[in-house]
Protein backbone atom coordinates (compact mmCIF):
# COMPACT_ATOMS: atom_id res chain seq x y z
CA UNK A 1 0.00 0.00 0.00
CA UNK A 2 1.27 3.44 -0.85
CA UNK A 3 0.61 6.15 1.65
CA UNK A 4 0.87 9.66 0.30
CA UNK A 5 1.94 12.59 2.41
CA UNK A 6 1.41 15.99 0.81
CA UNK A 7 4.24 18.35 1.66
CA UNK A 8 4.48 22.08 1.09
CA UNK A 9 7.82 22.14 -0.66
CA UNK A 10 11.28 20.58 -0.80
CA UNK A 11 12.18 21.87 2.66
CA UNK A 12 9.07 20.31 4.17
CA UNK A 13 9.85 16.96 2.45
CA UNK A 14 13.41 17.03 3.80
CA UNK A 15 12.26 17.86 7.32
CA UNK A 16 9.68 15.06 7.45
CA UNK A 17 12.07 12.56 5.91
CA UNK A 18 14.73 13.46 8.50
CA UNK A 19 12.20 12.99 11.30
CA UNK A 20 11.19 9.61 9.94
CA UNK A 21 14.78 8.41 9.57
CA UNK A 22 15.64 9.61 13.05
CA UNK A 23 12.67 7.66 14.39
CA UNK A 24 13.77 4.57 12.47
CA UNK A 25 17.26 4.79 13.97
CA UNK A 26 15.90 5.34 17.46
CA UNK A 27 13.64 2.33 17.13
CA UNK A 28 16.35 0.14 15.57
CA UNK A 29 19.86 1.45 16.10
CA UNK A 30 21.44 -1.13 13.83
CA UNK A 31 19.11 -0.55 10.89
CA UNK A 32 20.23 -1.30 7.37
CA UNK A 33 19.31 1.72 5.29
CA UNK A 34 19.03 1.58 1.51
CA UNK A 35 20.21 4.97 0.32
CA UNK A 36 19.78 7.05 -2.84
CA UNK A 37 21.76 9.84 -4.46
CA UNK A 38 20.56 12.68 -6.71
CA UNK A 39 18.88 15.94 -5.84
CA UNK A 40 15.91 14.52 -3.94
CA UNK A 41 17.71 13.41 -0.74
CA UNK A 42 20.28 16.25 -0.53
CA UNK A 43 18.07 18.26 1.87
CA UNK A 44 17.41 15.16 3.96
CA UNK A 45 21.13 14.40 4.26
CA UNK A 46 21.80 18.01 5.28
CA UNK A 47 19.20 17.70 8.03
CA UNK A 48 20.65 14.39 9.19
CA UNK A 49 24.10 16.01 9.44
CA UNK A 50 22.59 18.82 11.51
CA UNK A 51 20.74 16.35 13.73
CA UNK A 52 23.91 14.37 14.21
CA UNK A 53 25.81 17.52 15.22
CA UNK A 54 23.07 18.22 17.77
CA UNK A 55 23.36 14.70 19.18
CA UNK A 56 19.88 13.71 18.01
CA UNK A 57 20.84 10.76 15.83
CA UNK A 58 23.48 8.06 16.07
CA UNK A 59 24.89 6.12 13.12
CA UNK A 60 27.40 3.99 15.04
CA UNK A 61 25.54 0.75 14.38
CA UNK A 62 23.92 1.68 11.07
CA UNK A 63 24.67 -0.14 7.83
CA UNK A 64 23.93 1.37 4.44
CA UNK A 65 23.57 -0.03 0.94
CA UNK A 66 23.26 2.41 -1.91
CA UNK A 67 20.97 1.80 -4.83
CA UNK A 68 23.41 2.30 -7.63
CA UNK A 69 26.75 3.42 -9.04
CA UNK A 70 28.00 4.39 -12.47
CA UNK A 71 30.00 1.67 -14.16
CA UNK A 72 33.55 2.83 -14.78
CA UNK A 73 33.72 5.62 -12.19
CA UNK A 74 36.23 5.39 -9.32
CA UNK A 75 35.09 6.23 -5.77
CA UNK A 76 37.26 9.36 -5.79
CA UNK A 77 35.64 10.67 -8.99
CA UNK A 78 33.45 13.60 -7.87
CA UNK A 79 30.64 12.35 -10.12
CA UNK A 80 30.59 8.90 -8.58
CA UNK A 81 27.79 8.04 -6.19
CA UNK A 82 30.31 6.87 -3.58
CA UNK A 83 31.82 10.35 -3.62
CA UNK A 84 28.36 11.90 -3.37
CA UNK A 85 27.57 9.83 -0.28
CA UNK A 86 30.87 10.68 1.39
CA UNK A 87 30.33 14.39 0.78
CA UNK A 88 26.67 14.56 1.68
CA UNK A 89 26.55 12.21 4.63
CA UNK A 90 29.15 9.60 5.52
CA UNK A 91 32.14 11.78 6.38
CA UNK A 92 30.02 14.07 8.57
CA UNK A 93 28.53 11.43 10.85
CA UNK A 94 29.74 8.56 13.04
CA UNK A 95 29.02 5.78 10.57
CA UNK A 96 31.77 3.15 10.25
CA UNK A 97 33.14 3.31 6.70
CA UNK A 98 33.18 -0.50 6.51
CA UNK A 99 29.43 -0.48 7.10
CA UNK A 100 28.71 1.58 3.97
CA UNK A 101 28.21 -0.21 0.68
CA UNK A 102 27.92 1.14 -2.86
CA UNK A 103 28.18 -1.09 -5.96
CA UNK A 104 31.76 -1.31 -7.17
CA UNK A 105 31.87 0.90 -10.28
CA UNK A 106 35.42 -0.18 -11.01
CA UNK A 107 34.53 -3.87 -11.30
CA UNK A 108 34.62 -4.42 -15.05
CA UNK A 109 33.01 -7.82 -14.88
CA UNK A 110 29.37 -6.96 -14.39
CA UNK A 111 28.41 -10.47 -13.29
CA UNK A 112 30.91 -10.30 -10.42
CA UNK A 113 29.90 -6.77 -9.45
CA UNK A 114 26.22 -7.69 -9.32
CA UNK A 115 26.62 -11.04 -7.62
CA UNK A 116 28.88 -9.50 -4.94
CA UNK A 117 26.38 -6.74 -4.26
CA UNK A 118 23.43 -9.10 -3.91
CA UNK A 119 25.55 -11.14 -1.48
CA UNK A 120 26.18 -8.01 0.60
CA UNK A 121 22.46 -7.24 0.85
CA UNK A 122 21.75 -10.82 1.82
CA UNK A 123 24.52 -10.90 4.41
CA UNK A 124 23.11 -7.75 6.01
CA UNK A 125 19.76 -9.49 6.37
CA UNK A 126 17.94 -7.32 3.84
CA UNK A 127 17.01 -3.64 3.99
CA UNK A 128 14.99 -2.15 6.83
CA UNK A 129 14.22 1.15 5.15
CA UNK A 130 14.82 1.94 1.50
CA UNK A 131 15.03 5.56 0.45
CA UNK A 132 14.08 6.33 -3.17
CA UNK A 133 13.83 9.22 -5.58
CA UNK A 134 11.88 8.89 -8.81
CA UNK A 135 13.08 9.63 -12.33
CA UNK A 136 11.07 11.77 -14.75
CA UNK A 137 10.41 8.56 -16.66
CA UNK A 138 9.36 6.70 -13.52
CA UNK A 139 12.66 4.92 -12.90
CA UNK A 140 13.70 3.86 -9.40
CA UNK A 141 17.37 3.22 -8.80
CA UNK A 142 18.54 2.90 -12.37
CA UNK A 143 15.72 0.55 -13.27
CA UNK A 144 14.66 2.19 -16.50
CA UNK A 145 11.37 1.60 -18.34
CA UNK A 146 11.58 -1.79 -20.03
CA UNK A 147 9.60 -4.90 -20.96
CA UNK A 148 10.05 -6.66 -17.65
CA UNK A 149 10.77 -5.89 -14.02
CA UNK A 150 14.30 -6.68 -12.88
CA UNK A 151 15.01 -8.73 -9.80
CA UNK A 152 18.60 -8.66 -8.50
CA UNK A 153 21.45 -6.21 -9.03
CA UNK A 154 22.24 -5.80 -12.72
CA UNK A 155 24.08 -3.63 -15.20
CA UNK A 156 21.93 -1.20 -17.18
CA UNK A 157 22.36 0.97 -20.20
CA UNK A 158 21.02 4.36 -19.21
CA UNK A 159 18.18 5.79 -21.28
CA UNK A 160 18.65 8.98 -23.30
CA UNK A 161 16.20 10.65 -20.94
CA UNK A 162 18.37 9.81 -17.90
CA UNK A 163 21.65 10.70 -19.61
CA UNK A 164 20.12 14.05 -20.50
CA UNK A 165 18.93 14.61 -16.90
CA UNK A 166 22.41 13.71 -15.57
CA UNK A 167 24.21 15.95 -18.00
CA UNK A 168 23.89 18.95 -15.66
CA UNK A 169 26.55 17.35 -13.41
CA UNK A 170 29.16 16.94 -16.17
CA UNK A 171 31.00 19.46 -18.30
CA UNK A 172 30.47 17.60 -21.54
CA UNK A 173 27.80 15.14 -22.63
CA UNK A 174 30.49 12.61 -23.68
CA UNK A 175 31.60 12.42 -20.04
CA UNK A 176 28.20 11.25 -18.78
CA UNK A 177 28.49 7.51 -18.09
CA UNK A 178 26.19 5.36 -20.20
CA UNK A 179 26.04 2.33 -17.91
CA UNK A 180 25.40 1.74 -14.24
CA UNK A 181 25.06 -1.03 -11.71
CA UNK A 182 21.75 -0.90 -9.91
CA UNK A 183 19.82 -2.82 -7.32
CA UNK A 184 16.89 -4.56 -8.97
CA UNK A 185 13.20 -3.88 -8.39
CA UNK A 186 13.00 -7.23 -6.56
CA UNK A 187 15.54 -6.16 -3.94
CA UNK A 188 13.81 -2.81 -3.53
CA UNK A 189 10.45 -4.53 -3.04
CA UNK A 190 11.94 -6.82 -0.41
CA UNK A 191 12.84 -3.82 1.79
CA UNK A 192 10.67 -3.75 4.91
CA UNK A 193 9.77 -0.08 4.51
CA UNK A 194 10.13 2.29 1.58
CA UNK A 195 10.33 6.08 1.65
CA UNK A 196 10.11 7.86 -1.70
CA UNK A 197 10.80 11.58 -2.07
CA UNK A 198 9.43 13.56 -5.02
CA UNK A 199 9.80 17.27 -5.52
CA UNK A 200 9.18 19.56 -8.47
CA UNK A 201 6.90 19.88 -11.45
CA UNK A 202 9.02 17.67 -13.71
CA UNK A 203 8.13 14.68 -11.48
CA UNK A 204 4.35 15.21 -11.58
CA UNK A 205 3.58 12.87 -14.46
CA UNK A 206 5.72 10.03 -13.08
CA UNK A 207 4.29 10.44 -9.56
CA UNK A 208 0.73 10.35 -10.85
CA UNK A 209 1.40 7.22 -12.91
CA UNK A 210 3.16 5.55 -9.97
CA UNK A 211 0.20 6.19 -7.65
CA UNK A 212 -2.76 5.69 -9.94
CA UNK A 213 -1.59 4.02 -13.15
CA UNK A 214 -1.31 0.36 -14.05
CA UNK A 215 1.58 -1.69 -12.65
CA UNK A 216 3.90 -1.91 -15.61
CA UNK A 217 7.67 -2.22 -16.20
CA UNK A 218 7.24 0.72 -18.56
CA UNK A 219 6.94 2.76 -15.35
CA UNK A 220 9.18 0.90 -12.87
CA UNK A 221 7.99 2.87 -9.80
CA UNK A 222 4.47 1.50 -10.34
CA UNK A 223 5.64 -1.79 -8.82
CA UNK A 224 5.64 -0.03 -5.43
CA UNK A 225 1.84 -0.47 -5.46
CA UNK A 226 2.54 -4.10 -4.56
CA UNK A 227 4.51 -3.21 -1.44
CA UNK A 228 2.83 -3.14 1.96
CA UNK A 229 4.64 -0.21 3.45
CA UNK A 230 5.52 2.70 1.18
CA UNK A 231 5.41 6.33 2.20
CA UNK A 232 5.64 8.93 -0.55
CA UNK A 233 6.59 12.44 0.53
CA UNK A 234 5.68 14.68 -2.39
CA UNK A 235 5.41 18.44 -2.64
CA UNK A 236 2.61 20.36 -4.31
CA UNK A 237 4.49 20.70 -7.57
CA UNK A 238 5.21 16.98 -7.79
CA UNK A 239 1.50 16.39 -7.22
CA UNK A 240 0.69 18.73 -10.08
CA UNK A 241 -0.91 21.34 -7.84
C1 LIG B 1 19.78 7.79 -7.32
C2 LIG B 1 18.79 7.02 -8.08
C3 LIG B 1 17.83 7.66 -9.02
C4 LIG B 1 17.27 9.00 -8.53
C5 LIG B 1 16.31 9.57 -9.58
C6 LIG B 1 15.80 10.96 -9.17
O1 LIG B 1 20.57 6.93 -6.52
O2 LIG B 1 18.79 5.84 -7.95
O3 LIG B 1 16.77 6.77 -9.26
O4 LIG B 1 16.62 8.81 -7.31
O5 LIG B 1 16.94 9.68 -10.81
O6 LIG B 1 16.88 11.84 -9.22
P1 LIG B 1 16.79 13.30 -8.58
O7 LIG B 1 16.58 13.10 -7.13
O8 LIG B 1 18.12 13.94 -8.89
O9 LIG B 1 15.63 13.97 -9.22
Amino acid sequence: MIQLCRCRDYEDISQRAAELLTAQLTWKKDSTLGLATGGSPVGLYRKLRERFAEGLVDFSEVKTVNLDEYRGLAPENPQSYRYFMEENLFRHVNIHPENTYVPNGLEKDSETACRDYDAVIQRLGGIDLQLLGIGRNGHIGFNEPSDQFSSGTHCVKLSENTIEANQRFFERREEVPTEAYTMGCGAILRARRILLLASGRDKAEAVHAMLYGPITPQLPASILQLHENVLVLADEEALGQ
Side-chain angles (χ1 to χ4, degrees):
M1 202 191 79
I2 303 184
Q3 214 188 328
L4 174 64
C5 174
R6 290 165 192 272
C7 299
R8 244 183 355 266
D9 50 21
Y10 183 78
E11 182 63 20
D12 195 21
I13 292 178
S14 306
Q15 178 65 26
R16 286 174 191 244
E19 276 158 12
L20 197 143
L21 265 143
T22 307
Q24 169 75 30
L25 297 186
T26 306
W27 168 68
K28 188 169 190 281
K29 277 173 80 70
D30 61 347
S31 290
T32 295
L33 302 178
L35 296 181
T37 59
S40 304
V42 164
L44 160 64
Y45 294 151
R46 176 175 37 82
K47 292 205 179 281
L48 287 177
R49 298 195 307 259
E50 288 166 3
R51 285 176 165 245
F52 173 73
E54 290 165 22
L56 297 175
V57 60
D58 173 23
F59 290 86
S60 61
E61 294 178 39
V62 172
K63 274 101 54 193
T64 64
V65 276
N66 262 77
L67 279 169
D68 40 21
E69 178 60 285
Y70 289 120
R71 184 172 185 218
L73 292 197
E76 54 278 6
N77 184 317
Q79 304 304 339
S80 76
Y81 285 174
R82 161 60 75 177
Y83 190 93
F84 174 101
M85 289 311 304
E86 295 294 337
E87 288 301 301
N88 281 279
L89 186 65
F90 297 158
R91 73 182 179 84
H92 305 277
V93 298
N94 65 339
I95 195 161
H96 293 290
E98 65 275 20
N99 286 341
T100 66
Y101 298 89
V102 179
N104 181 0
L106 285 184
E107 175 56 70
K108 289 208 177 77
D109 181 49
S110 48
E111 249 179 60
T112 306
C114 298
R115 199 185 44 230
D116 287 356
Y117 207 60
D118 283 337
V120 165
I121 299 170
Q122 204 176 358
R123 201 174 64 237
L124 293 174
I127 297 165
D128 292 306
L129 189 148
Q130 176 66 55
L131 179 66
L132 296 174
I134 182 169
R136 295 184 298 192
N137 61 3
H139 72 221
I140 45 175
F142 268 132
N143 294 284
E144 301 281 15
S146 82
D147 292 337
Q148 53 183 18
F149 286 111
S150 59
S151 175
T153 304
H154 56 289
C155 182
V156 282
K157 291 214 177 314
L158 305 183
S159 72
E160 279 306 311
N161 188 309
T162 300
I163 294 174
E164 208 180 285
N166 286 347
Q167 207 180 330
R168 63 200 150 129
F169 301 114
F170 294 82
E171 273 180 22
R172 287 175 301 143
R173 190 186 165 91
E174 305 81 76
E175 290 172 15
V176 187
T178 56
E179 290 183 327
Y181 294 129
T182 182
M183 237 185 240
C185 288
I188 293 171
L189 268 202
R190 278 191 292 277
R192 292 170 196 106
R193 288 202 159 86
I194 296 178
L195 174 64
L196 184 143
L197 314 181
S199 171
R201 205 164 296 284
D202 60 339
K203 300 294 174 69
E205 240 178 85
V207 168
H208 191 271
M210 165 183 73
L211 294 172
Y212 309 112
I215 298 176
T216 163
Q218 294 303 332
L219 195 110
S222 63
I223 201 169
L224 299 179
Q225 291 177 28
L226 291 180
H227 196 279
E228 284 174 6
N229 201 339
V230 182
L231 177 63
V232 172
L233 298 180
D235 62 16
E236 289 171 6
E237 287 194 353
L239 292 171
Q241 288 164 346

